Amino acid sequence: MRGLPEGWVWTTLGECFDWGSGGTPRKSVAAYYGGGIPWAVIGDLNDDHVETTRSSISLAGLENSSAKWVDQGSVLLAMYGSIGKLGIASRPLTTNQAIAHAHPEPVPSRYLFWYLRRIRSTLTRRGKGGTQQNISQTVIKAIRFPLAPLPEQRRIVAKIESLFAKLDDAVAALKRAEANLERYRASVLKAAVEGRLTERWRRENPPEETGEELLERILVERRKRWEAEQLAKFEAKGKRPPKDWKSKYKEPVEPDTDGLPGLPEGWCWATVGQLAASMANGIYKPAKFYSASGIPCLRMYNIVNGELVLRDLKRMVLSEDEMNRYGLKSGDLLINRVNSRELVGKAAAIPDRLGSIVFESKNIRLRPVGMGYETRFLAYCFAVLAPAYFGRHSQQVVGMASISQKQIGSLVVPVPPSVEQRRIVTEVDRRKRSSAHLGDTIKAKRRQSRALRHSILERAFEGRLVPQAPTDEPASALLERIRVSASRRSGHNL
C-alpha cells in the first residue's frame, strides 16, 4: 500500500465517524406510513444528493420502530444488496436498516462520500450472505481511512468534482453519439427497405427481372414444393393421391396495398406468407431436458437489433426427430413471437456455418421459398415494418405481446429485383461495419472514462491529485480533535 503524504494520517471509518442505521416500521400497521417524514430505502440512493424519497412514515411509525432522524449533509451507504451505493442527505430524513449513515464533522461530507466511492469494490467484496449479499457496520468501521488536513480535503473535493464534471460532459457527448449512431443504423435499414439506399445504383443497373416477375417465380416454386411434399406423404402411407388433391393447396394471402407508399420502379409488394415455404413454432422442454452437453437452443434473448447474439445459450437433450423438426438452417429467418409490444416480431437471418442448433417455443422459424429473395433483406423488412404492424395486431396478455404465424404471414413487405437485393445487403453490410467500428470506439472511450474516474479517486486519496500545501493543523491534530469530540459525545450519552 502506498504511503501517505506528510501531514496525513491513517485512521478508520469507525474512529473518524459516528455510524448508525435506521429501521422499518411494521408493514402491517398502515398508520405508520404515508406521513410527513421522508423515509429512504436503497432504491432512493443515487450516488448524489438525496432530495426526495419514494416513501414516507408517520410520527407514530418513527416512534414505534428503530428508524431515526438523519441530519442534513449525512453520508448514506447501502449495506444490503447494492452494497456501496451512496447518497448525501439534502434534508433531514430517516432510513431503513439497510442504509448506514454518518454525519462527518468537521470532515466535509463530500470527502467521505468520494472515499466511499473509491472503495466501493472493496465493500462489495466483503459482502456476505446468500441471495442478497450484505455488510455490517462492524465491517464499515474497520476499514482504513486516509485523513488529510482539512484545507487539503476541501481542495481534493473541489479537484475531483471539477475533473468529474468534465468527464460527465464527455460521457454525455458519447451518449449522444451512441444515440445518433442508433438513429443512423435505423435510417440505413429504412433507406434499404424503401429503395433509397440503391437509388443511384438502380438507375445505372436496370434489372433483367423485376420484383413482380421474381414474385411470380416464387409463387410457382412455392406450389411445386407443396405438391412434392403432399406426394411424398401419400407415398409414405402407400396411398394414391385423390384426383382433386391439388385443389387442396391454400393460396397465401395477397397484400392489401391500400395506403401503402409507392415503390421504386421494378419493385412490388408481397406478403410474408407468399415468400414463405413454411413456418413453425419452436420447441418447449421442461428444465430436466437442459444439459451442458446438449444441443444449443436460441431463445428470445438471442435476437438483438436484427442480429443473432450467441451468448448465454441454453442446451437441450433432444432426439434425432426433434433435431430434424426444430433444427435451423442457413437462410432461415428466426422471428420472436412473444415479447413486449415494442420487441415482439424482431427477427434475424440464420447465417452460414452455424452448426447444429434449434429454437425455443417463443420463436418462429420461417423458411423462405428462396428463388432469389434474400433472407437478410427480409430481416431488414422486419426491423423497419414489423414494430408498427405487430404493435397494432399482436395480442397483449399480462404485459407481454404475442403474434401468430397467420399474422406474420400477413405482413406486407417489398420485393425488389434479386440483383438489387444483393446490392442492398452488400451496402448495408458495409455501413454496418463502419458503424460497428465507430460504436466500438465509443465503447472504448466510455471504458477509458470509467478507468480515469477510478484513477482520479485513487490519486486523490493517495495525496497525488493536488499539490501539498503548508497547514496550521496536520491531520494528526485534526484526528485528535475528532477523538475528543467523540469522547465528549459518548460521555454525554452516558
Side-chain angles (χ1 to χ4, degrees), residues 278-283 296-304 306-310 313 326-337 343-351 354 357-368 375-376 378-379 382-383 403 408:
S278 65
M279 280 189 270
N281 287 17
I283 188 171
C297 180
L298 294 176
R299 299 178 295 160
M300 58 189 287
Y301 313 105
N302 296 117
I303 306 174
V304 179
E307 303 285 347
L308 286 184
V309 178
L310 302 178
L313 291 176
Y326 300 104
L328 291 165
K329 298 179 180 179
S330 172
D332 288 346
L333 186 73
L334 190 64
I335 306 163
N336 187 208
R337 72 171 187 87
L343 295 177
V344 70
K346 62 182 181 176
I350 302 301
L354 192 59
I357 197 163
V358 296
F359 62 108
E360 58 98 37
S361 60
K362 289 187 174 63
N363 291 326
I364 288 175
R365 179 192 64 205
L366 185 151
R367 189 155 284 167
T375 306
R376 292 177 64 186
L378 184 56
F382 269 78
I403 53 176
I408 291 172

Short mmCIF file of all heavy atoms in Angstrom, two decimals, residues 278-283 296-304 306-310 313 326-337 343-351 354 357-368 375-376 378-379 382-383 403 408:
data_model
loop_
_atom_site.label_atom_id
_atom_site.label_comp_id
_atom_site.label_asym_id
_atom_site.label_seq_id
_atom_site.Cartn_x
_atom_site.Cartn_y
_atom_site.Cartn_z
N SER A 278 -42.47 -22.41 -45.43
CA SER A 278 -43.06 -22.98 -44.22
C SER A 278 -42.78 -22.08 -43.04
O SER A 278 -41.85 -21.26 -43.07
CB SER A 278 -42.50 -24.38 -43.95
OG SER A 278 -41.11 -24.30 -43.65
N MET A 279 -43.58 -22.24 -42.00
CA MET A 279 -43.34 -21.61 -40.71
C MET A 279 -43.59 -22.64 -39.62
O MET A 279 -44.47 -23.49 -39.77
CB MET A 279 -44.24 -20.38 -40.51
CG MET A 279 -43.76 -19.12 -41.20
SD MET A 279 -44.70 -17.64 -40.73
CE MET A 279 -46.00 -17.69 -41.96
N ALA A 280 -42.85 -22.54 -38.53
CA ALA A 280 -43.02 -23.50 -37.43
C ALA A 280 -42.66 -22.84 -36.11
O ALA A 280 -41.70 -22.06 -36.03
CB ALA A 280 -42.13 -24.73 -37.64
N ASN A 281 -43.45 -23.15 -35.08
CA ASN A 281 -43.13 -22.69 -33.73
C ASN A 281 -42.00 -23.55 -33.17
O ASN A 281 -41.80 -24.69 -33.58
CB ASN A 281 -44.34 -22.80 -32.82
CG ASN A 281 -45.38 -21.74 -33.12
OD1 ASN A 281 -45.34 -21.12 -34.18
ND2 ASN A 281 -46.29 -21.51 -32.20
N GLY A 282 -41.28 -22.99 -32.18
CA GLY A 282 -40.13 -23.68 -31.61
C GLY A 282 -40.51 -24.73 -30.58
O GLY A 282 -41.68 -24.96 -30.28
N ILE A 283 -39.49 -25.33 -30.02
CA ILE A 283 -39.66 -26.45 -29.11
C ILE A 283 -39.73 -25.97 -27.66
O ILE A 283 -39.07 -24.99 -27.27
CB ILE A 283 -38.50 -27.46 -29.27
CG1 ILE A 283 -38.76 -28.74 -28.48
CG2 ILE A 283 -37.16 -26.83 -28.87
CD1 ILE A 283 -37.78 -29.86 -28.78
N PRO A 296 -27.40 -26.59 -28.55
CA PRO A 296 -27.73 -25.19 -28.23
C PRO A 296 -29.08 -24.79 -28.80
O PRO A 296 -29.46 -25.20 -29.90
CB PRO A 296 -26.58 -24.39 -28.88
CG PRO A 296 -25.97 -25.31 -29.87
CD PRO A 296 -26.18 -26.70 -29.37
N CYS A 297 -29.79 -23.97 -28.01
CA CYS A 297 -31.15 -23.56 -28.37
C CYS A 297 -31.25 -22.03 -28.32
O CYS A 297 -30.92 -21.41 -27.31
CB CYS A 297 -32.15 -24.18 -27.40
SG CYS A 297 -33.86 -23.74 -27.73
N LEU A 298 -31.67 -21.44 -29.43
CA LEU A 298 -31.81 -19.98 -29.49
C LEU A 298 -33.13 -19.56 -28.83
O LEU A 298 -34.19 -20.11 -29.13
CB LEU A 298 -31.79 -19.51 -30.94
CG LEU A 298 -30.46 -19.72 -31.68
CD1 LEU A 298 -30.60 -19.30 -33.13
CD2 LEU A 298 -29.33 -18.94 -31.01
N ARG A 299 -33.02 -18.56 -27.95
CA ARG A 299 -34.18 -18.05 -27.25
C ARG A 299 -34.48 -16.62 -27.70
O ARG A 299 -33.78 -16.05 -28.53
CB ARG A 299 -33.94 -18.09 -25.73
CG ARG A 299 -33.69 -19.51 -25.21
CD ARG A 299 -33.40 -19.48 -23.72
NE ARG A 299 -32.15 -18.78 -23.43
CZ ARG A 299 -31.85 -18.27 -22.23
NH1 ARG A 299 -32.73 -18.37 -21.24
NH2 ARG A 299 -30.70 -17.67 -22.03
N MET A 300 -35.53 -16.03 -27.12
CA MET A 300 -35.92 -14.68 -27.50
C MET A 300 -34.81 -13.67 -27.26
O MET A 300 -34.69 -12.67 -27.98
CB MET A 300 -37.18 -14.26 -26.73
CG MET A 300 -37.04 -14.31 -25.22
SD MET A 300 -38.60 -14.07 -24.34
CE MET A 300 -38.87 -12.32 -24.60
N TYR A 301 -33.95 -13.94 -26.26
CA TYR A 301 -32.87 -13.01 -25.91
C TYR A 301 -31.71 -13.05 -26.89
O TYR A 301 -30.83 -12.18 -26.84
CB TYR A 301 -32.34 -13.34 -24.51
CG TYR A 301 -33.43 -13.55 -23.49
CD1 TYR A 301 -33.75 -14.82 -23.04
CD2 TYR A 301 -34.16 -12.47 -23.01
CE1 TYR A 301 -34.78 -15.02 -22.12
CE2 TYR A 301 -35.19 -12.65 -22.07
CZ TYR A 301 -35.48 -13.94 -21.64
OH TYR A 301 -36.49 -14.12 -20.75
N ASN A 302 -31.70 -14.04 -27.78
CA ASN A 302 -30.57 -14.18 -28.71
C ASN A 302 -30.78 -13.42 -30.01
O ASN A 302 -29.93 -13.50 -30.90
CB ASN A 302 -30.32 -15.66 -29.01
CG ASN A 302 -29.89 -16.44 -27.79
OD1 ASN A 302 -30.57 -17.36 -27.35
ND2 ASN A 302 -28.76 -16.08 -27.21
N ILE A 303 -31.89 -12.69 -30.11
CA ILE A 303 -32.11 -11.80 -31.25
C ILE A 303 -32.01 -10.37 -30.75
O ILE A 303 -32.84 -9.92 -29.95
CB ILE A 303 -33.49 -12.03 -31.91
CG1 ILE A 303 -33.68 -13.51 -32.29
CG2 ILE A 303 -33.65 -11.14 -33.13
CD1 ILE A 303 -35.07 -13.81 -32.80
N VAL A 304 -30.99 -9.66 -31.20
CA VAL A 304 -30.76 -8.28 -30.74
C VAL A 304 -30.47 -7.40 -31.95
O VAL A 304 -29.52 -7.65 -32.71
CB VAL A 304 -29.56 -8.21 -29.76
CG1 VAL A 304 -29.33 -6.77 -29.31
CG2 VAL A 304 -29.80 -9.12 -28.56
N GLY A 306 -31.76 -7.13 -34.84
CA GLY A 306 -31.75 -7.79 -36.13
C GLY A 306 -30.60 -8.74 -36.35
O GLY A 306 -30.39 -9.20 -37.48
N GLU A 307 -29.86 -9.05 -35.30
CA GLU A 307 -28.71 -9.96 -35.41
C GLU A 307 -28.83 -11.05 -34.35
O GLU A 307 -29.41 -10.85 -33.28
CB GLU A 307 -27.39 -9.21 -35.22
CG GLU A 307 -27.17 -8.05 -36.19
CD GLU A 307 -26.81 -8.51 -37.58
OE1 GLU A 307 -26.49 -9.71 -37.74
OE2 GLU A 307 -26.83 -7.68 -38.51
N LEU A 308 -28.24 -12.21 -34.64
CA LEU A 308 -28.14 -13.26 -33.64
C LEU A 308 -26.98 -12.95 -32.70
O LEU A 308 -25.89 -12.59 -33.13
CB LEU A 308 -27.89 -14.62 -34.30
CG LEU A 308 -29.07 -15.27 -35.01
CD1 LEU A 308 -28.66 -16.64 -35.52
CD2 LEU A 308 -30.29 -15.39 -34.11
N VAL A 309 -27.23 -13.08 -31.41
CA VAL A 309 -26.20 -12.90 -30.40
C VAL A 309 -26.04 -14.25 -29.70
O VAL A 309 -26.91 -14.69 -28.96
CB VAL A 309 -26.60 -11.80 -29.38
CG1 VAL A 309 -25.51 -11.68 -28.31
CG2 VAL A 309 -26.80 -10.48 -30.10
N LEU A 310 -24.92 -14.90 -29.95
CA LEU A 310 -24.73 -16.28 -29.48
C LEU A 310 -24.05 -16.30 -28.12
O LEU A 310 -22.92 -16.75 -27.97
CB LEU A 310 -23.92 -17.07 -30.51
CG LEU A 310 -24.54 -17.13 -31.91
CD1 LEU A 310 -23.64 -17.90 -32.86
CD2 LEU A 310 -25.92 -17.76 -31.86
N LEU A 313 -26.33 -19.25 -24.17
CA LEU A 313 -27.13 -20.26 -24.85
C LEU A 313 -27.51 -21.39 -23.90
O LEU A 313 -26.67 -21.91 -23.17
CB LEU A 313 -26.37 -20.84 -26.04
CG LEU A 313 -26.13 -19.90 -27.22
CD1 LEU A 313 -25.27 -20.59 -28.27
CD2 LEU A 313 -27.45 -19.46 -27.83
N TYR A 326 -36.90 -29.19 -35.39
CA TYR A 326 -36.65 -27.85 -34.85
C TYR A 326 -35.26 -27.32 -35.18
O TYR A 326 -34.86 -26.27 -34.67
CB TYR A 326 -36.84 -27.86 -33.33
CG TYR A 326 -38.22 -28.27 -32.91
CD1 TYR A 326 -38.48 -29.55 -32.40
CD2 TYR A 326 -39.30 -27.41 -33.06
CE1 TYR A 326 -39.76 -29.94 -32.03
CE2 TYR A 326 -40.59 -27.78 -32.69
CZ TYR A 326 -40.81 -29.04 -32.18
OH TYR A 326 -42.08 -29.43 -31.83
N GLY A 327 -34.54 -28.00 -36.05
CA GLY A 327 -33.23 -27.52 -36.45
C GLY A 327 -33.32 -26.29 -37.34
O GLY A 327 -34.28 -26.10 -38.09
N LEU A 328 -32.31 -25.44 -37.25
CA LEU A 328 -32.24 -24.23 -38.07
C LEU A 328 -31.18 -24.40 -39.16
O LEU A 328 -30.14 -25.02 -38.93
CB LEU A 328 -31.89 -23.03 -37.20
CG LEU A 328 -32.98 -22.59 -36.22
CD1 LEU A 328 -32.42 -21.65 -35.16
CD2 LEU A 328 -34.13 -21.91 -36.97
N LYS A 329 -31.48 -23.85 -40.34
CA LYS A 329 -30.56 -23.93 -41.47
C LYS A 329 -30.19 -22.53 -41.94
O LYS A 329 -30.93 -21.57 -41.72
CB LYS A 329 -31.22 -24.68 -42.63
CG LYS A 329 -31.59 -26.12 -42.34
CD LYS A 329 -32.26 -26.76 -43.55
CE LYS A 329 -32.64 -28.20 -43.27
NZ LYS A 329 -33.33 -28.82 -44.46
N SER A 330 -29.06 -22.46 -42.60
CA SER A 330 -28.67 -21.20 -43.22
C SER A 330 -29.77 -20.73 -44.16
O SER A 330 -30.31 -21.51 -44.95
CB SER A 330 -27.36 -21.39 -44.00
OG SER A 330 -27.06 -20.23 -44.74
N GLY A 331 -30.14 -19.47 -44.06
CA GLY A 331 -31.21 -18.92 -44.89
C GLY A 331 -32.55 -18.87 -44.20
O GLY A 331 -33.48 -18.22 -44.70
N ASP A 332 -32.70 -19.55 -43.05
CA ASP A 332 -33.94 -19.43 -42.28
C ASP A 332 -34.02 -18.04 -41.64
O ASP A 332 -32.99 -17.38 -41.43
CB ASP A 332 -34.00 -20.48 -41.17
CG ASP A 332 -34.24 -21.88 -41.69
OD1 ASP A 332 -34.63 -22.02 -42.87
OD2 ASP A 332 -34.06 -22.85 -40.92
N LEU A 333 -35.23 -17.63 -41.32
CA LEU A 333 -35.44 -16.39 -40.56
C LEU A 333 -36.04 -16.77 -39.22
O LEU A 333 -37.06 -17.47 -39.17
CB LEU A 333 -36.38 -15.44 -41.31
CG LEU A 333 -36.55 -14.06 -40.67
CD1 LEU A 333 -35.28 -13.23 -40.87
CD2 LEU A 333 -37.74 -13.32 -41.27
N LEU A 334 -35.41 -16.34 -38.14
CA LEU A 334 -35.92 -16.61 -36.80
C LEU A 334 -36.66 -15.38 -36.31
O LEU A 334 -36.10 -14.27 -36.30
CB LEU A 334 -34.77 -16.96 -35.86
CG LEU A 334 -35.17 -17.50 -34.48
CD1 LEU A 334 -35.88 -18.84 -34.63
CD2 LEU A 334 -33.95 -17.64 -33.58
N ILE A 335 -37.90 -15.56 -35.89
CA ILE A 335 -38.77 -14.44 -35.51
C ILE A 335 -39.23 -14.63 -34.08
O ILE A 335 -39.68 -15.71 -33.70
CB ILE A 335 -40.00 -14.36 -36.44
CG1 ILE A 335 -39.57 -14.30 -37.90
CG2 ILE A 335 -40.87 -13.15 -36.09
CD1 ILE A 335 -40.68 -14.62 -38.87
N ASN A 336 -39.14 -13.59 -33.29
CA ASN A 336 -39.60 -13.63 -31.90
C ASN A 336 -41.11 -13.45 -31.86
O ASN A 336 -41.63 -12.44 -32.32
CB ASN A 336 -38.89 -12.53 -31.12
CG ASN A 336 -39.15 -12.59 -29.64
OD1 ASN A 336 -39.11 -11.57 -28.98
ND2 ASN A 336 -39.41 -13.76 -29.10
N ARG A 337 -41.84 -14.44 -31.32
CA ARG A 337 -43.31 -14.37 -31.34
C ARG A 337 -43.91 -13.93 -30.01
O ARG A 337 -45.09 -13.61 -29.93
CB ARG A 337 -43.91 -15.71 -31.76
CG ARG A 337 -43.80 -16.81 -30.73
CD ARG A 337 -44.61 -18.04 -31.14
NE ARG A 337 -44.62 -19.02 -30.06
CZ ARG A 337 -45.51 -19.03 -29.08
NH1 ARG A 337 -46.46 -18.11 -29.05
NH2 ARG A 337 -45.46 -19.94 -28.13
N LEU A 343 -40.96 -5.10 -28.80
CA LEU A 343 -39.94 -6.01 -29.32
C LEU A 343 -40.50 -7.24 -30.02
O LEU A 343 -39.75 -7.94 -30.71
CB LEU A 343 -39.02 -6.46 -28.17
CG LEU A 343 -38.15 -5.38 -27.53
CD1 LEU A 343 -37.35 -5.95 -26.38
CD2 LEU A 343 -37.23 -4.75 -28.56
N VAL A 344 -41.78 -7.54 -29.85
CA VAL A 344 -42.33 -8.73 -30.50
C VAL A 344 -42.20 -8.57 -32.02
O VAL A 344 -42.40 -7.50 -32.57
CB VAL A 344 -43.80 -8.94 -30.08
CG1 VAL A 344 -44.72 -7.88 -30.67
CG2 VAL A 344 -44.26 -10.33 -30.48
N GLY A 345 -41.82 -9.66 -32.69
CA GLY A 345 -41.63 -9.61 -34.14
C GLY A 345 -40.22 -9.30 -34.58
O GLY A 345 -39.94 -9.26 -35.77
N LYS A 346 -39.31 -9.09 -33.61
CA LYS A 346 -37.92 -8.88 -34.02
C LYS A 346 -37.41 -10.16 -34.67
O LYS A 346 -37.82 -11.27 -34.32
CB LYS A 346 -37.06 -8.48 -32.83
CG LYS A 346 -36.96 -9.51 -31.73
CD LYS A 346 -36.12 -9.02 -30.56
CE LYS A 346 -36.03 -10.09 -29.47
NZ LYS A 346 -35.14 -9.70 -28.37
N ALA A 347 -36.51 -10.02 -35.64
CA ALA A 347 -36.12 -11.17 -36.45
C ALA A 347 -34.65 -11.09 -36.82
O ALA A 347 -34.04 -10.01 -36.83
CB ALA A 347 -36.97 -11.23 -37.72
N ALA A 348 -34.08 -12.26 -37.13
CA ALA A 348 -32.69 -12.35 -37.55
C ALA A 348 -32.53 -13.50 -38.53
O ALA A 348 -33.16 -14.55 -38.38
CB ALA A 348 -31.76 -12.53 -36.36
N ALA A 349 -31.69 -13.30 -39.54
CA ALA A 349 -31.40 -14.34 -40.52
C ALA A 349 -30.37 -15.30 -39.93
O ALA A 349 -29.43 -14.89 -39.24
CB ALA A 349 -30.87 -13.73 -41.81
N ILE A 350 -30.53 -16.59 -40.21
CA ILE A 350 -29.58 -17.60 -39.75
C ILE A 350 -28.41 -17.63 -40.71
O ILE A 350 -28.59 -17.86 -41.92
CB ILE A 350 -30.26 -18.98 -39.66
CG1 ILE A 350 -31.47 -18.94 -38.73
CG2 ILE A 350 -29.25 -20.04 -39.19
CD1 ILE A 350 -31.17 -18.52 -37.31
N PRO A 351 -27.19 -17.41 -40.21
CA PRO A 351 -26.02 -17.34 -41.11
C PRO A 351 -25.50 -18.72 -41.49
O PRO A 351 -25.96 -19.74 -40.97
CB PRO A 351 -25.00 -16.58 -40.26
CG PRO A 351 -25.35 -16.96 -38.86
CD PRO A 351 -26.85 -17.14 -38.82
N LEU A 354 -23.38 -22.21 -38.91
CA LEU A 354 -23.78 -22.05 -37.51
C LEU A 354 -23.71 -23.37 -36.76
O LEU A 354 -23.60 -23.39 -35.54
CB LEU A 354 -25.19 -21.46 -37.43
CG LEU A 354 -25.67 -20.97 -36.06
CD1 LEU A 354 -24.74 -19.89 -35.54
CD2 LEU A 354 -27.09 -20.43 -36.15
N ILE A 357 -28.19 -26.44 -34.27
CA ILE A 357 -28.81 -25.52 -33.32
C ILE A 357 -30.32 -25.56 -33.54
O ILE A 357 -30.79 -25.76 -34.66
CB ILE A 357 -28.24 -24.09 -33.50
CG1 ILE A 357 -28.54 -23.21 -32.29
CG2 ILE A 357 -28.72 -23.45 -34.79
CD1 ILE A 357 -27.67 -21.96 -32.23
N VAL A 358 -31.09 -25.38 -32.46
CA VAL A 358 -32.55 -25.39 -32.53
C VAL A 358 -33.07 -24.08 -31.97
O VAL A 358 -32.30 -23.21 -31.55
CB VAL A 358 -33.14 -26.60 -31.78
CG1 VAL A 358 -32.72 -27.90 -32.43
CG2 VAL A 358 -32.75 -26.57 -30.31
N PHE A 359 -34.41 -23.94 -31.93
CA PHE A 359 -35.01 -22.70 -31.44
C PHE A 359 -36.16 -23.04 -30.51
O PHE A 359 -36.86 -24.03 -30.68
CB PHE A 359 -35.48 -21.83 -32.60
CG PHE A 359 -36.55 -22.43 -33.46
CD1 PHE A 359 -37.85 -21.96 -33.43
CD2 PHE A 359 -36.27 -23.49 -34.32
CE1 PHE A 359 -38.84 -22.51 -34.22
CE2 PHE A 359 -37.25 -24.05 -35.13
CZ PHE A 359 -38.54 -23.56 -35.07
N GLU A 360 -36.34 -22.18 -29.49
CA GLU A 360 -37.33 -22.48 -28.46
C GLU A 360 -38.70 -21.90 -28.80
O GLU A 360 -38.87 -21.18 -29.79
CB GLU A 360 -36.84 -22.00 -27.08
CG GLU A 360 -36.53 -20.52 -27.00
CD GLU A 360 -37.64 -19.71 -26.40
OE1 GLU A 360 -38.30 -20.19 -25.47
OE2 GLU A 360 -37.85 -18.57 -26.84
N SER A 361 -39.66 -22.21 -27.95
CA SER A 361 -41.07 -22.01 -28.28
C SER A 361 -41.51 -20.55 -28.40
O SER A 361 -42.56 -20.28 -28.96
CB SER A 361 -41.95 -22.71 -27.24
OG SER A 361 -41.71 -22.18 -25.95
N LYS A 362 -40.74 -19.61 -27.90
CA LYS A 362 -41.13 -18.20 -28.02
C LYS A 362 -40.68 -17.61 -29.35
O LYS A 362 -40.83 -16.41 -29.59
CB LYS A 362 -40.58 -17.38 -26.85
CG LYS A 362 -41.27 -17.67 -25.53
CD LYS A 362 -40.80 -16.72 -24.45
CE LYS A 362 -41.61 -16.90 -23.16
NZ LYS A 362 -41.45 -18.22 -22.56
N ASN A 363 -40.11 -18.46 -30.21
CA ASN A 363 -39.69 -18.04 -31.54
C ASN A 363 -40.41 -18.83 -32.61
O ASN A 363 -40.93 -19.92 -32.36
CB ASN A 363 -38.17 -18.22 -31.72
CG ASN A 363 -37.37 -17.26 -30.86
OD1 ASN A 363 -37.79 -16.13 -30.64
ND2 ASN A 363 -36.23 -17.70 -30.37
N ILE A 364 -40.42 -18.29 -33.82
CA ILE A 364 -40.97 -18.96 -35.00
C ILE A 364 -39.88 -19.03 -36.07
O ILE A 364 -39.16 -18.04 -36.28
CB ILE A 364 -42.21 -18.21 -35.54
CG1 ILE A 364 -43.40 -18.41 -34.60
CG2 ILE A 364 -42.57 -18.64 -36.95
CD1 ILE A 364 -44.64 -17.61 -34.97
N ARG A 365 -39.77 -20.18 -36.69
CA ARG A 365 -38.84 -20.34 -37.82
C ARG A 365 -39.60 -20.14 -39.12
O ARG A 365 -40.59 -20.82 -39.37
CB ARG A 365 -38.21 -21.73 -37.80
CG ARG A 365 -37.23 -21.98 -38.97
CD ARG A 365 -36.88 -23.44 -39.07
NE ARG A 365 -38.05 -24.25 -39.40
CZ ARG A 365 -38.17 -25.54 -39.09
NH1 ARG A 365 -37.22 -26.18 -38.43
NH2 ARG A 365 -39.26 -26.20 -39.43
N LEU A 366 -39.13 -19.20 -39.94
CA LEU A 366 -39.68 -19.01 -41.27
C LEU A 366 -38.64 -19.50 -42.26
O LEU A 366 -37.49 -19.04 -42.25
CB LEU A 366 -40.02 -17.54 -41.50
CG LEU A 366 -40.72 -17.19 -42.82
CD1 LEU A 366 -41.59 -15.94 -42.63
CD2 LEU A 366 -39.74 -16.95 -43.96
N ARG A 367 -39.05 -20.41 -43.12
CA ARG A 367 -38.15 -20.95 -44.14
C ARG A 367 -38.61 -20.39 -45.49
O ARG A 367 -39.64 -20.82 -46.03
CB ARG A 367 -38.17 -22.47 -44.12
CG ARG A 367 -37.12 -23.14 -44.99
CD ARG A 367 -36.82 -24.53 -44.48
NE ARG A 367 -35.97 -24.49 -43.29
CZ ARG A 367 -35.76 -25.54 -42.49
NH1 ARG A 367 -36.35 -26.70 -42.75
NH2 ARG A 367 -34.97 -25.43 -41.44
N PRO A 368 -37.89 -19.42 -46.04
CA PRO A 368 -38.34 -18.80 -47.29
C PRO A 368 -38.26 -19.77 -48.48
O PRO A 368 -37.48 -20.72 -48.48
CB PRO A 368 -37.35 -17.65 -47.49
CG PRO A 368 -36.72 -17.42 -46.15
CD PRO A 368 -36.70 -18.77 -45.49
N THR A 375 -32.89 -13.65 -47.53
CA THR A 375 -33.42 -13.68 -46.17
C THR A 375 -32.96 -12.47 -45.37
O THR A 375 -33.71 -11.93 -44.54
CB THR A 375 -32.96 -14.96 -45.45
OG1 THR A 375 -33.32 -16.09 -46.24
CG2 THR A 375 -33.61 -15.08 -44.08
N ARG A 376 -31.75 -12.02 -45.61
CA ARG A 376 -31.26 -10.85 -44.86
C ARG A 376 -32.03 -9.60 -45.23
O ARG A 376 -32.27 -8.74 -44.37
CB ARG A 376 -29.76 -10.68 -45.10
CG ARG A 376 -28.94 -11.81 -44.47
CD ARG A 376 -27.48 -11.70 -44.75
NE ARG A 376 -26.92 -10.51 -44.16
CZ ARG A 376 -25.66 -10.11 -44.36
NH1 ARG A 376 -24.86 -10.80 -45.14
NH2 ARG A 376 -25.21 -9.02 -43.78
N LEU A 378 -35.16 -9.68 -46.05
CA LEU A 378 -36.41 -9.87 -45.32
C LEU A 378 -36.25 -9.48 -43.86
O LEU A 378 -37.17 -8.89 -43.26
CB LEU A 378 -36.85 -11.33 -45.44
CG LEU A 378 -38.21 -11.69 -44.82
CD1 LEU A 378 -39.33 -10.83 -45.39
CD2 LEU A 378 -38.51 -13.17 -45.01
N ALA A 379 -35.09 -9.77 -43.28
CA ALA A 379 -34.83 -9.36 -41.89
C ALA A 379 -34.84 -7.84 -41.76
O ALA A 379 -35.33 -7.29 -40.76
CB ALA A 379 -33.49 -9.92 -41.42
N PHE A 382 -38.41 -6.75 -41.60
CA PHE A 382 -38.98 -6.95 -40.26
C PHE A 382 -38.53 -5.84 -39.32
O PHE A 382 -39.32 -5.32 -38.52
CB PHE A 382 -38.59 -8.32 -39.70
CG PHE A 382 -39.57 -9.40 -40.03
CD1 PHE A 382 -39.59 -9.98 -41.29
CD2 PHE A 382 -40.50 -9.83 -39.09
CE1 PHE A 382 -40.51 -10.98 -41.60
CE2 PHE A 382 -41.43 -10.82 -39.39
CZ PHE A 382 -41.43 -11.40 -40.65
N ALA A 383 -37.26 -5.45 -39.39
CA ALA A 383 -36.73 -4.42 -38.49
C ALA A 383 -37.46 -3.09 -38.70
O ALA A 383 -37.73 -2.35 -37.75
CB ALA A 383 -35.23 -4.25 -38.71
N ILE A 403 -47.61 -12.92 -31.23
CA ILE A 403 -48.07 -12.91 -32.61
C ILE A 403 -48.14 -14.35 -33.11
O ILE A 403 -47.47 -15.23 -32.57
CB ILE A 403 -47.16 -12.07 -33.53
CG1 ILE A 403 -45.69 -12.53 -33.39
CG2 ILE A 403 -47.28 -10.59 -33.22
CD1 ILE A 403 -44.74 -11.82 -34.33
N ILE A 408 -47.89 -13.14 -38.96
CA ILE A 408 -46.61 -12.96 -39.64
C ILE A 408 -46.81 -13.08 -41.15
O ILE A 408 -46.27 -12.29 -41.93
CB ILE A 408 -45.59 -14.00 -39.14
CG1 ILE A 408 -45.20 -13.70 -37.70
CG2 ILE A 408 -44.34 -14.02 -40.03
CD1 ILE A 408 -44.34 -14.77 -37.06
#
